[in-house]
Amino acid sequence: MTTTPPPDEPDEPPVLATITCPHCNVVVPDARFCGACGANLSFEEFQAAQRLHAFSAFPDEPVIHLSTVTALFPQLSCRAKAPFRLALGLIVSLIVVFALIGADAPLIALCALGVPLLFLLYIWEVDPYEGSFIGPTLTCLVVGAGLGAGWAILGSNYVDQALLPLIGTSLTGTHALVAAVLVPGLGQLLMAVPMLLVWSVQRGPRESLDGFAAGASGALGFTMAATITLMAPWLSNGQLVHQPFNLVFTQAILHGVSVPLVSALTTGLVGAAFWATTGTRPTAARGRWLSSALLALGVALLIQIGLGFCDISFLPSLVVVVVHLVAIAVSIILVRVGIHHVLLHEAQHVAIGPPMVCSHCNHLVPRMLFCPHCGVAERALSRAHRLHHPAPWPAAEGTPAAGIPWPAAPPGEPGVKIGFSEIPAAAHHHRPGHRRMVLLLALGLGVVTLIFAVIAVVAPPGPPAPCRPLTCQGPPVGTRGGAEDAVGTPVQNGVRYANHQGYSLRYQQFTGNPVSKTDATGLTLSYVLTSGATAQIQVVGGPARNTDAQSIVQKIVDQIAPGAQVAYHVPGAMVGYVPGYGEAFNVQNPSSDGSTGTTRLIVMTAIRDGFAISVIAEGKLLAPVTPKSPFWDGHPSPANVAAAYVADPVVNSIAFPPVQHG
């Protein structure tokens, strides 16, 4: 294809050469791309119409391409991609650095606000909603934040319940299904509420990428509030997070990178598909079904539910991080495919319009659905760039401000072809420079970090990292003298449980507690104490099979809490007054929906006559109780968990199977 440069001093625009597009049957300029349907006129029919080699928003990239910036910010100009890549890379790098040093205030600030602040700068850059972006964006963020905080407060309890390190837990159990399906599924639906609210009040023409901005803004407001709610307990530990690096790093990647990116991408795609006004304009491009809002919502739900099952599967931290990174990559590809087809099928005008400088390729072209030279969709250009029409030719009196259509010859008659030399796009002084935008991002994160640092200083102290055995007080379990405080004394007249394998135990029933659950190997007791603390006690038994007590303890921990950190060895561990072995562990299962608190797990095992009985007690790691506390009972314990006091009478009441003689 040859190009003809414009005259040096033109008095009027040259007449364009045109052809009839073989894919949509519309008369368009004779150029590389059809200005009406976007097909690449130099490719074969299927490849031309689908144009998987040229993403509709950034045609210099293929559709299947792992680019976070061009997927999350589809209306950026080419010159803005590098600064936004730099800013996003800076956010991720700082998250890793602060996770490495364990600085909780800046880490929480970056996790909660890094990606949302960057997206706000994108909104400022592209100016959706035709100059009234402040109201819709704030609506999405505020409504999303309120829904996110409520979801985190209520939903994390169900996720924490599914993450309890107990034997016999299943991914198909009630707690698991609620935590992995209902909680993340409901969260995804709530993320779409702000978008629907803005859609209902928006006036004027709607465009698909406006819906993407609304959906992503609502999702980021949601994840911002949820992350602050879930990670706020770290602030009570002072300036440093007292957790192993791998756990802090995993939570940081989940809450600071995976959750905001996946949520913004998938919910943004739902918004783009919902906002799009697809019509019956003829085109050979297939895949109209890929622009369906219901399909986009279904994909978003599947991704969130898949991550929900990953989070409660007790996988090693590194595996969880890898799964979430894969989810980001899948979300990027799916969003790019969805946006590509939404832009291809979105119904608009098809006439040859006035001259304009394409902000993507900087060539002078007629305004159409797609740039005839580079193929970028017009609606993928920000309105500020789209409305800029240079006038290299004198305009006649009475010409409308929008300009007159570029004159075109009938198909087959001579005329110039699109491909003029690049013309620098005019600067848009109403937007800040990109360096200034990166500085604004850093300033905003610095202010929020300072606020969190002050909170970390003045917040009540949380549980200390180390606790030496028999030197610190146990947690509150109720008023002194109650049935809950029968420390060390076996239950005499409680409910008796007898296992078919021959061992038995007793537990006290009081004020509706505990809730019991039995299976073939043992019994699980769930307590809610008068102080509000919760406790889980599980007793399981079976043949030792020539295994010692320490090996059984390690096997149990590897099964229910892989990667748990040893806190201390239980001194003088006994089960049913039979000497055994016991250890206490700190467990923090990485989860994007559950709390970031630490669980204290205590496992003790004793063996008599070849039969092993193990006791598993667990609950949230609680702060020590001082002598000034109303819960002080003078009984020191390194456990720091409510189950320690409730478990003693149960453990002491255990009776091993009778010894078999002869």
Side-chain angles (χ1 to χ4, degrees), residues 240-555:
L240 297 178
V241 182
H242 301 290
Q243 299 289 350
F245 166 71
N246 64 318
L247 296 178
V248 176
F249 174 77
T250 302
Q251 294 286 14
I253 293 298
L254 264 59
H255 291 284
V257 181
S258 171
V259 169
L261 288 182
V262 170
S263 299
L265 287 167
T266 55
T267 311
L269 178 59
V270 175
F274 189 74
W275 244 259
T277 53
T278 55
T280 58
R281 177 170 52 86
T283 176
R286 304 175 186 177
R288 184 181 290 268
W289 59 275
L290 292 171
S291 62
S292 166
L294 287 178
L295 176 64
L297 180 59
V299 168
L301 288 171
L302 285 176
I303 293 177
Q304 295 289 356
I305 291 172
L307 292 178
F309 275 109
C310 168
D311 290 349
I312 66 169
S313 297
F314 298 99
L315 298 172
S317 299
L318 179 60
V319 176
V320 173
V321 170
V322 171
V323 171
H324 276 262
L325 293 179
V326 170
I328 295 174
V330 171
S331 300
I332 290 172
I333 297 301
L334 292 177
V335 166
R336 290 173 67 91
V337 170
I339 289 178
H340 178 72
H341 286 86
V342 165
L343 292 174
L344 286 180
H345 294 286
E346 194 168 11
Q348 305 170 65
H349 59 277
V350 295
I352 298 176
M356 65 174 286
V357 172
C358 172
S359 64
H360 184 82
C361 65
N362 281 346
H363 281 76
L364 187 65
V365 295
R367 182 179 179 182
M368 298 192 72
L369 301 183
F370 297 87
C371 171
H373 182 76
C374 70
V376 68
E378 184 199 32
R379 291 197 171 185
L381 304 177
S382 67
R383 286 179 170 82
H385 290 133
R386 197 187 313 168
L387 298 177
H388 178 65
H389 303 300
W393 303 285
E397 293 185 7
T399 300
I404 58 175
W406 196 321
E413 295 190 6
V416 298
K417 296 182 179 181
I418 296 298
F420 294 160
S421 301
E422 292 188 18
I423 299 177
H428 301 285
H429 299 291
H430 64 291
R431 292 290 175 267
H434 292 132
R435 291 183 180 178
R436 208 176 305 172
M437 292 177 68
V438 175
L439 290 177
L440 285 174
L441 174 66
L443 179 63
L445 291 174
V447 171
V448 176
T449 298
L450 180 62
I451 294 173
F452 282 146
V454 173
I455 294 175
V457 171
V458 302
C467 180
R468 297 176 182 175
L470 302 181
T471 60
C472 62
Q473 167 65 22
V477 294
T479 57
R480 179 172 170 77
E484 304 171 18
D485 300 311
V487 178
T489 304
V491 178
Q492 301 295 331
N493 299 315
V495 179
R496 184 175 185 272
Y497 165 77
N499 187 270
H500 72 94
Q501 300 178 93
Y503 75 91
S504 65
L505 59 86
R506 288 184 179 272
Y507 60 91
Q508 189 68 44
Q509 189 80 30
F510 54 88
T511 59
N513 279 309
V515 177
S516 62
K517 178 183 177 182
T518 62
D519 57 25
T521 61
L523 170 73
T524 301
L525 302 173
S526 302
Y527 290 86
V528 179
L529 306 181
T530 56
S531 62
T534 60
Q536 298 278 342
I537 302 170
Q538 189 173 33
V539 181
V540 295
R545 304 186 189 281
N546 297 321
T547 306
D548 60 20
Q550 182 174 354
S551 298
I552 294 176
V553 168
Q554 189 59 51
K555 181 179 179 181

